[in-house]
Amino acid sequence: MITDRSISDIRIAKDKLNIKPDSIYCFDRAYTDLELWSNIDFSKSYFVTKLKNNLKYTVLGQHLEAMKDGILSDEKIKLENKKYEKNLRMIRFLDEKSDEVVSIVTNNFKLSAKTIVQIYKTRWQIEIFFRWIKQNLQIKTFLGTSKNAVMSQVWIAMIYYLLLTYIKYQSKYEKSLFYLHRIIKEALLSRLTLIDLLSATPARISDFKIKEFQLVFW
């Protein structure tokens, strides 16, 4: 959903989220809202999220789970907040990439700790995707400034990168997506097939561009 920047994500999640029974909702700790958690729980669904530092809790005991697969602890806890009075499950694991101990909470006591951790790690792919967009999807100038014009240009840019990703996947292109973008940009007006372009060296592309320039303008 796209809203004005003055409207918080939490408000949209609580007002517009159509919670379906027996589903698992995974979100960042920015969505920490005990009313939202209660709504999910009341709908007979589950949530997995990172534990916010300012949430106080009491450890009730160890959950029946063997410590393995990088799991440091699997405990049953109770929040010291009357807005959510049911017991929760807190799982702590070591993130090998950042060397950080991550604490996540869930109302799901059925799945293994490893599965819960995998669900949360899968959510990280969303952050990686948006970080990639910020770094690569650079639209320096908008040809139109209306909402429809801006959204059209953003979608066109995203479709372009989606096509590049598809080409890279289908052709098993070994170099980075950014490099593929650069060579297509450099040879955009050159008479090269896509197959030739994927195997072309930078020197060959430069040489071809010079010949094209001579052919057209001399």
Side-chain angles (χ1 to χ4, degrees):
M1 296 192 66
I2 301 174
T3 63
D4 188 85
R5 62 182 178 182
S6 62
I7 300 176
S8 68
D9 295 352
I10 288 292
R11 176 178 167 185
I12 297 300
K14 290 197 294 186
D15 295 346
K16 303 295 184 180
L17 182 63
N18 182 21
I19 303 173
K20 298 181 179 180
D22 201 31
S23 300
I24 299 176
Y25 295 90
C26 186
F27 41 84
D28 190 23
R29 61 182 171 186
Y31 286 84
T32 297
D33 186 278
L34 301 187
E35 184 180 344
L36 175 62
W37 293 9
S38 297
N39 291 342
I40 294 174
D41 192 87
F42 180 77
S43 301
K44 301 184 185 303
S45 293
Y46 306 101
F47 59 84
V48 176
T49 185
K50 193 173 183 180
L51 183 66
K52 212 168 185 178
N53 296 330
N54 61 357
L55 276 181
K56 296 182 179 180
Y57 60 88
T58 301
V59 177
L60 302 178
Q62 181 73 23
H63 185 60
L64 298 178
E65 178 75 24
M67 296 301 101
K68 56 183 180 179
D69 299 316
I71 309 297
L72 302 178
S73 64
D74 185 4
E75 299 170 320
K76 184 186 296 184
I77 66 170
K78 186 176 182 63
L79 298 180
E80 297 178 10
N81 192 311
K82 293 185 178 180
K83 290 184 179 180
Y84 193 94
E85 297 185 330
K86 290 189 175 183
N87 295 338
L88 288 170
R89 182 182 178 188
M90 183 178 72
I91 301 169
R92 296 169 66 248
F93 68 95
L94 178 64
D95 177 28
E96 297 178 352
K97 292 184 179 180
S98 64
D99 198 31
E100 174 191 3
V101 175
V102 180
S103 300
I104 55 178
V105 290
T106 180
N107 61 335
N108 190 307
F109 288 85
K110 299 177 181 179
L111 298 176
S112 70
K114 180 181 178 181
T115 301
I116 297 294
V117 169
Q118 287 175 335
I119 290 172
Y120 186 77
K121 284 184 175 181
T122 301
R123 194 204 62 82
W124 284 346
Q125 299 302 316
I126 299 172
E127 291 189 3
I128 293 172
F129 172 68
F130 278 105
R131 190 183 304 121
W132 183 89
I133 285 180
K134 291 177 182 178
Q135 292 173 349
N136 295 279
L137 204 65
Q138 299 178 5
I139 304 174
K140 296 181 180 180
T141 304
F142 283 103
L143 301 178
T145 56
S146 67
K147 181 179 179 181
N148 183 64
V150 170
M151 292 304 299
S152 295
Q153 290 167 94
V154 171
W155 278 114
I156 289 169
M158 292 185 70
I159 290 170
Y160 164 70
Y161 274 101
L162 179 62
L163 289 172
L164 286 188
T165 305
Y166 181 73
I167 292 168
K168 177 177 168 61
Y169 171 75
Q170 288 286 11
S171 64
K172 295 181 172 56
Y173 187 69
E174 295 180 353
K175 295 183 180 179
S176 68
L177 195 65
F178 180 73
Y179 185 82
L180 178 59
H181 158 67
R182 289 294 298 271
I183 64 171
I184 288 180
K185 179 181 177 182
E186 292 297 322
L188 191 60
L189 300 179
S190 300
R191 297 175 183 175
L192 282 172
T193 67
L194 184 60
I195 300 300
D196 290 335
L197 196 60
L198 292 174
S199 59
T201 63
R204 183 185 174 192
I205 293 172
S206 299
D207 181 61
F208 196 90
K209 287 183 68 178
I210 291 173
K211 290 180 180 178
E212 284 288 307
F213 183 81
Q214 292 173 339
L215 177 65
V216 174
F217 295 100
W218 284 18

